[in-house]
Amino acid sequence: MVLRRGYNNQSERIEPSTFLRCFQAIFAGLILFQAVLIGGLFYYGSWAAIAAVIQQPEFHFALKLTLWTSLVATALTAFVALPSGYVLSRCRIPGQAFVDTLLDIPIVLPPLISGIALLILFGPLLGEHLTKLGLEIVFSPRGVVIAQWFIATPFAIKAIKQAFDSIDPRMEKVARTLGFTPGRVFCKVTLPLAKNGIISGLIMAWTRALGEFGATAMLAGITRMKTETLSVAIFLNMTVGDLEFAISTAIVMLMIALISLVILKVFLRTEVMV
Amino acid sequence: MKPALFEVENIYVQAGSFQLREVSFSLEAGEYLVILGPTGCGKTMLLETLAGLRCPARGKVFLKGNDITLTPPEARRFGFAYQDSLLYPFLNVKDNILFGAKAQNRHQEPEILSRVDKLAEAMGIAHLLNRFPRFLSGGEKQRVSLARAILTHPPLLLLDEPLSSLDPQTRRSMQELLQEIHRAEELGTIHVTHDFNEALQMGTHLLVMNQGLVLQQGNPLEVFSQPASLNIANFLMGENLLQGRIEWREERAWFAQSGSDNVRIGPLNECKLPNKEAQEVTLLIRAGNLVLSSDSHESLAVNSWNCRIAQINWHSTHVEIICRGQENYRVVMSGAEWKRMNLQKGSPVRLSADVNDVHLLEE
């Protein structure tokens, strides 16, 4: 295994010690486990079944719903996580521990409980007002977006805050003295410098949204051909015993996630190399 | 009366438990002000306040007589270069230099583009314009940072230890470059450093700071040879600080050392006496003002005393000789001069000082 000094990105080989070999063994074990896990899924499914499933209208509906809801949820996440991450990185916040805990709630709570909380907020508490405005959330695709957004946002905030933390604030100060207003400094200096961290954070948010199930089930319901995302489709078909549909859908979901991640990672690496 | 180019009046800045207190000074056009102080004394904080990046709690800042205390940095547009060049890694050298012009939407104007070429030529970075910062050396980066800071003719140039991360050779060429730019652009410059040599070489005016306070300001040579207090003399590493008292002989004041080297220096210029009542004083003789001679027999000569050579420290530009009587005295001279004297460790020597080159300090 070629080891690289990660801290400065130089690809110098370093001599592995026994200590490092132990860590390598654990790491190799984890990779093997993941590979076997994914391999098992592929082994259990069949290409013929996948070909049949991807032609079914139910699959088309679930795929479309999953893609558009997860992308809208990711856009909303970006809208919230960029300013929040910046504030957390640059400002001294009174009651920091309390604020951090509040932000972590969607991470530490089981998604089902987050879903119940969302259901109460958008049902009994705000439901009537939202209905008057024509914005029904509960048991609708909008609910899917809200649930995905709620679960994905804290992950993006953490990653984006870290990206902003890694920028020397003096880079921004120099831009101010060169004539840029704070808003333009953010667009012209901070965002380009944090670009890779922001994209990574949003990819993480998107993959969380793509696979979201618990909170979606509570807020948007599990209704075939209405709020049926790919995860919901897998659950629905598992419960009625259609294993073929469920496993084929799972494999397709896995493929979508893997291909998207690989493309983005290659793109990001190319960007870094420029 | 024409107002000063830049004036700071009693500014007070607070950051956490650290405070900058009652800082005042003024800068005329074409002056090169060096702010000297140890690390952590508030120099960078002061510079950021001058640039508008920090807001003072009290006090005022004027540019050409106009109050700019509340003017944001993007409207002041002072040139600013930090110790680390802080170039934008996603832009090539040319775009880095043009970054300030871009803020004013002037980055495509022919005169700006020709100024980029002119500055790049003057700074020796013309061949690097298309490179990205990670392919530049420390000195090259610092030149780009400087070109970026002065591209749009800022009213004032602020430099935060711009040379401290460079190797000695690069530092010397950068010093020359800074002086050349300062002359050519007639740019009022404020340069923060903790390096004494840099302060003496670069500054037309010097301001000494410590713990958020301005201790003394004035002509650099005068501040170094005549520090206002013992505290400042210690900070400026006054080499020979002799403890003693003022003695009056025939109505003339003499310095009499307390130790048994029996150093007597005088008659002192009375207007230089810190306080006639203060009998306990400290006399500062900078190492360059002590004269070492091999003739140790002139025991009757005034303002001189006998010692032995205790240590010889060779430096690249001079020799430092430590002479020992009851106390240690430091003398500096050129290497050639020292060789001509043909002295060794232990040789008896005589030290003398001109009464005009000594400085009395109050306790």
Side-chain angles (χ1 to χ4, degrees):
Chain A
M1 190 182 287
V2 178
L3 292 172
R4 292 197 291 182
R5 293 182 194 276
Y7 59 85
N8 58 5
N9 253 344
Q10 288 173 0
S11 49
E12 291 170 38
R13 276 161 192 265
I14 53 171
E15 225 26 69
S17 59
T18 313
F19 166 77
L20 207 52
R21 281 186 200 288
C22 291
F23 276 26
Q24 282 178 353
I26 293 169
F27 177 66
L30 173 72
I31 296 296
L32 188 70
F33 177 76
Q34 301 276 42
V36 169
L37 193 76
I38 304 296
L41 196 62
F42 277 96
Y43 176 75
Y44 211 74
S46 79
W47 292 112
I50 293 171
V53 163
I54 59 176
Q55 283 170 16
Q56 286 186 28
E58 186 184 349
F59 176 81
H60 290 170
F61 178 87
L63 180 65
K64 271 188 216 162
L65 182 69
T66 306
L67 284 180
W68 84 255
T69 51
S70 63
L71 287 174
V72 172
T74 309
L76 287 176
T77 294
F79 179 73
V80 173
L82 281 171
S84 308
Y86 193 72
V87 167
L88 283 171
S89 170
R90 293 288 188 271
C91 307
R92 197 174 294 166
I93 301 167
Q96 180 94 35
F98 177 70
V99 172
D100 275 346
T101 312
L102 262 185
L103 284 173
D104 284 344
I105 279 179
I107 298 177
V108 294
L109 272 187
L112 274 175
I113 300 178
S114 295
I116 293 172
L118 286 169
L119 185 63
I120 291 169
L121 179 70
F122 290 105
L125 290 179
L126 295 175
E128 207 178 312
H129 307 289
L130 289 169
T131 309
K132 275 182 200 161
L133 294 169
L135 287 171
E136 276 176 59
I137 304 289
V138 179
F139 304 132
S140 78
R142 285 196 198 98
V144 177
V145 173
I146 296 287
Q148 290 175 344
W149 167 80
F150 182 73
I151 297 297
T153 297
F155 292 94
I157 291 178
K158 278 186 184 295
I160 289 172
K161 176 193 177 288
Q162 251 173 20
F164 287 143
D165 281 346
S166 68
I167 299 172
D168 188 335
R170 293 178 306 165
M171 287 274 201
E172 296 168 340
K173 289 180 179 175
V174 167
R176 293 283 312 270
T177 64
L178 289 170
F180 288 92
T181 56
R184 287 186 78 199
V185 170
F186 184 76
C187 296
K188 297 283 179 189
V189 175
T190 317
L191 283 184
L193 285 172
K195 188 180 73 183
N196 286 351
I198 292 170
I199 293 176
S200 302
L202 291 181
I203 291 173
M204 208 191 295
W206 179 64
T207 50
R208 293 293 306 178
L210 201 65
E212 216 303 306
F213 176 71
T216 311
M218 282 292 124
L219 184 64
I222 306 175
T223 316
R224 205 179 283 274
M225 300 296 274
K226 189 183 177 195
T227 56
E228 188 181 4
T229 58
L230 286 170
S231 311
V232 170
I234 294 169
F235 176 77
L236 279 173
N237 287 289
M238 284 292 276
T239 51
V240 296
D242 189 349
L243 275 183
E244 207 168 66
F245 187 98
I247 291 170
S248 301
T249 310
I251 289 174
V252 172
M253 248 182 113
L254 190 70
M255 299 288 281
I256 294 171
L258 283 179
I259 292 170
S260 315
L261 285 183
V262 167
I263 290 174
L264 278 164
K265 280 185 181 172
V266 169
F267 167 76
L268 275 184
R269 192 164 299 171
T270 322
E271 282 289 295
V272 171
M273 298 295 284
V274 167
Chain B
M1 199 178 76
K2 204 179 161 198
L5 168 71
F6 188 65
E7 212 167 340
V8 174
E9 246 181 47
N10 291 322
I11 56 167
Y12 179 98
V13 192
Q14 175 109 27
S17 59
F18 186 82
Q19 299 163 343
L20 270 183
R21 283 162 288 168
E22 313 303 329
V23 177
S24 298
F25 63 86
S26 70
L27 184 82
E28 299 298 334
E31 252 188 346
Y32 198 112
L33 170 69
V34 174
I35 299 176
L36 179 69
T39 306
C41 75
K43 303 184 300 272
T44 301
M45 194 168 153
L46 173 60
L47 221 51
E48 289 186 346
T49 308
L50 304 184
L53 293 162
R54 287 175 187 272
C55 202
R58 287 200 297 273
K60 296 229 175 272
V61 181
F62 298 93
L63 180 71
K64 293 176 187 163
N66 301 315
D67 186 348
I68 56 160
T69 316
L70 299 175
T71 309
E74 58 270 23
R76 295 187 195 194
R77 281 209 295 271
F78 291 169
F80 202 118
Y82 280 104
Q83 172 182 353
D84 317 302
S85 44
L86 299 174
L87 300 181
Y88 299 114
F90 49 87
L91 298 175
N92 66 17
V93 167
K94 187 173 184 176
D95 291 337
N96 260 292
I97 298 176
L98 277 168
F99 204 58
K102 203 171 180 184
Q104 302 164 45
N105 219 5
R106 294 176 58 199
H107 57 294
Q108 283 167 340
E109 287 179 11
E111 57 265 45
I112 288 286
L113 293 172
S114 84
R115 180 155 162 83
V116 170
D117 292 336
K118 221 185 264 177
L119 278 176
E121 196 63 50
M123 297 199 181
I125 50 170
H127 60 295
L128 305 172
L129 287 177
N130 292 319
R131 286 204 199 158
F132 278 85
R134 67 179 172 281
F135 298 116
L136 306 182
S137 69
E140 288 166 346
K141 280 184 191 168
Q142 203 55 285
R143 282 161 195 261
V144 178
S145 153
L146 202 58
R148 177 177 68 180
I150 63 172
L151 177 76
T152 54
H153 298 284
L156 195 66
L157 178 62
L158 307 174
L159 304 168
D160 186 12
E161 307 208 21
L163 312 176
S164 60
S165 59
L166 304 176
D167 59 70
Q169 290 81 5
T170 319
R171 188 180 306 173
R172 178 181 278 189
S173 70
M174 271 299 284
Q175 267 179 3
E176 286 165 5
L177 180 68
L178 276 174
Q179 283 171 320
E180 212 174 291
I181 288 171
H182 177 244
R183 265 195 306 272
E185 307 257 329
E186 292 177 350
L187 193 57
T189 305
I190 300 179
H191 176 141
V192 150
T193 184
H194 60 257
D195 186 312
F196 295 168
N197 293 328
E198 212 169 285
L200 276 169
Q201 284 163 27
M202 313 282 293
T204 58
H205 195 78
L206 178 68
L207 192 141
V208 182
M209 270 186 82
N210 201 6
Q211 294 173 337
L213 274 173
V214 174
L215 302 180
Q216 190 176 353
Q217 50 182 310
N219 174 288
L221 270 178
E222 271 175 29
V223 173
F224 268 86
S225 57
Q226 296 168 21
S229 69
L230 185 58
N231 207 356
I232 302 170
N234 276 322
F235 168 67
L236 295 175
M237 293 173 70
E239 294 90 351
N240 303 301
L241 290 163
L242 282 57
Q243 305 290 319
R245 60 191 185 282
I246 302 289
E247 278 183 2
W248 293 87
R249 287 191 210 158
E250 296 166 3
E251 295 191 1
R252 302 300 300 270
W254 285 71
F255 170 81
Q257 194 192 19
S258 308
S260 47
D261 285 328
N262 214 18
V263 177
R264 294 264 179 292
I265 292 176
L268 297 167
N269 185 347
E270 282 182 40
C271 67
K272 280 189 176 178
L273 292 180
N275 179 353
K276 277 196 177 186
E277 304 304 318
Q279 296 292 301
E280 295 297 321
V281 290
T282 301
L283 187 81
L284 167 67
I285 314 173
R286 301 279 345 192
N289 291 335
L290 257 186
V291 180
L292 183 145
S293 59
S294 50
D295 186 359
S296 60
H297 304 297
E298 292 176 38
S299 53
L300 293 173
V302 287
N303 301 335
S304 66
W305 63 100
N306 291 330
C307 292
R308 280 184 187 278
I309 293 176
Q311 200 175 319
I312 304 146
N313 299 325
W314 280 89
H315 294 263
S316 57
T317 52
H318 62 274
V319 190
E320 181 192 47
I321 299 117
I322 300 175
C323 302
R324 187 167 295 156
Q326 289 302 310
E327 288 182 33
N328 286 342
Y329 305 93
R330 285 170 195 270
V331 186
V332 288
M333 61 174 69
S334 74
E337 205 180 338
W338 169 248
K339 275 183 186 161
R340 267 198 302 276
M341 295 184 89
N342 198 21
L343 294 169
Q344 285 87 39
K345 207 168 162 181
S347 301
V349 287
R350 192 149 183 87
L351 295 178
S352 56
D354 190 309
V355 74
N356 295 313
D357 296 332
V358 300
H359 180 62
L360 274 171
L361 298 158
E362 274 184 271
E363 291 297 319

